[in-house]
Amino acid sequence: VRAVSLWCARALWLAAAVEVHTAKEVFAVNGTNQRLKCTFSSSSPVSQDLIVTWNFQPEDLSSHEQVFHYQKGPCKPPAGRFKERVTWDGNIERNDVSIIIWNLQPSDNGTFTCQVINFPDVHGTIGEVRLRVVHKVSFSEIHFLAVAIGSASVLMIIVVAAVIICRQRRRKARDKRMEVADAEL
C-alpha cells in the first residue's frame, strides 16, 4: 500500500511538473497593442530545449490557430491572422514567456493558450487567457483617479486664489483706515 501511495504521489508530481500562469481575462481597446503575460514554474531548471506554444481559439469556436512558437528562440507564425502582429516579449531566465499582439481587432476576441514544455518536464498545466477587444475604454479606476486629482487641483487653485483675494482686500481696507487716520491728524 505504501509503495502504491508513493507511486501515486510521484505520478501527481510529474503531472504538474510545469505550472503555467496567465490572467483569466484581459480587456484591450480596438487598434491598440496588448501584452499577454504568461509565466511558468518548473520542477527542473530552465532547459535550452524549452518549447513555448501560444494558440488562439476565436469566440465563434472556428478552427484554432497557432499564434507563436518558441524553440531555441522566437519563431513567428508564417501565416494566419497574427503573422505580422505578434512579437516575443518574454525572458526565459525569469520564466516569462509573454507575447505582444499588435493592432488588436474585434476578430481577435477569443481564448489564447500558453503551453510550456521544459525538458524533462513535459507535463503540466496550460495557461488560458480570454482576450476581449472593446471599441472604447470604459470608465475605469484610472479615469476616476485622473478626475479626482484634476478636481482636487482645481479646488486647490480656487482656495489659493480666494486666500490671495481676501488678503488683498484686507490690505486695501487697512490702508484706507490708515489714510483716514492720517487725514484726521
Side-chain angles (χ1 to χ4, degrees):
V1 173
R2 181 175 167 98
V4 170
S5 66
L6 285 175
W7 181 84
C8 287
R10 174 130 173 95
L12 286 173
W13 179 78
L14 287 173
V18 176
E19 287 187 37
V20 178
H21 312 281
T22 59
K24 294 288 181 205
E25 191 169 46
V26 173
F27 289 87
V29 177
N30 185 30
T32 63
N33 310 325
Q34 180 65 48
R35 182 176 197 258
L36 298 181
K37 184 176 181 179
C38 180
T39 58
F40 70 96
S41 56
S42 177
S43 59
S44 299
V46 176
S47 166
Q48 289 185 350
D49 296 323
L50 180 88
I51 297 174
V52 178
T53 305
W54 278 90
N55 290 308
F56 173 70
Q57 177 72 52
E59 282 187 334
D60 64 7
L61 301 178
S62 59
S63 63
H64 80 279
E65 65 181 277
Q66 188 173 41
V67 175
F68 195 86
H69 188 76
Y70 181 101
Q71 187 170 6
K72 296 186 180 186
C75 307
K76 291 184 179 181
R81 76 174 81 200
F82 299 104
K83 180 180 177 189
E84 296 295 327
R85 299 191 309 126
V86 62
T87 54
W88 174 252
D89 196 44
N91 183 335
I92 298 299
E93 290 80 29
R94 294 186 179 187
N95 294 14
D96 184 352
V97 293
S98 303
I99 59 173
I100 296 176
I101 307 288
W102 299 88
N103 191 23
L104 289 169
Q105 305 299 318
S107 59
D108 297 331
N109 282 323
T111 302
F112 289 80
T113 59
C114 174
Q115 183 176 13
V116 178
I117 298 173
N118 183 37
F119 293 102
D121 296 342
V122 295
H123 300 285
T125 59
I126 296 176
E128 284 191 6
V129 57
R130 185 168 182 188
L131 177 65
R132 294 184 181 261
V133 180
V134 296
H135 289 286
K136 62 180 181 177
V137 179
S138 60
F139 197 74
S140 68
E141 292 175 7
I142 293 291
H143 291 103
F144 177 75
L145 186 60
V147 168
I149 289 172
S151 299
S153 298
V154 168
L155 184 61
M156 186 72 89
I157 290 169
I158 291 171
V159 168
V160 168
V163 167
I164 290 171
I165 290 170
C166 285
R167 284 186 175 179
Q168 286 179 343
R169 286 187 177 173
R170 284 183 189 166
R171 189 176 306 137
K172 283 183 182 181
R174 187 185 71 217
D175 289 347
K176 196 171 192 175
R177 281 194 308 267
M178 290 180 85
E179 282 180 24
V180 170
D182 286 343
E184 289 178 356
L185 291 174

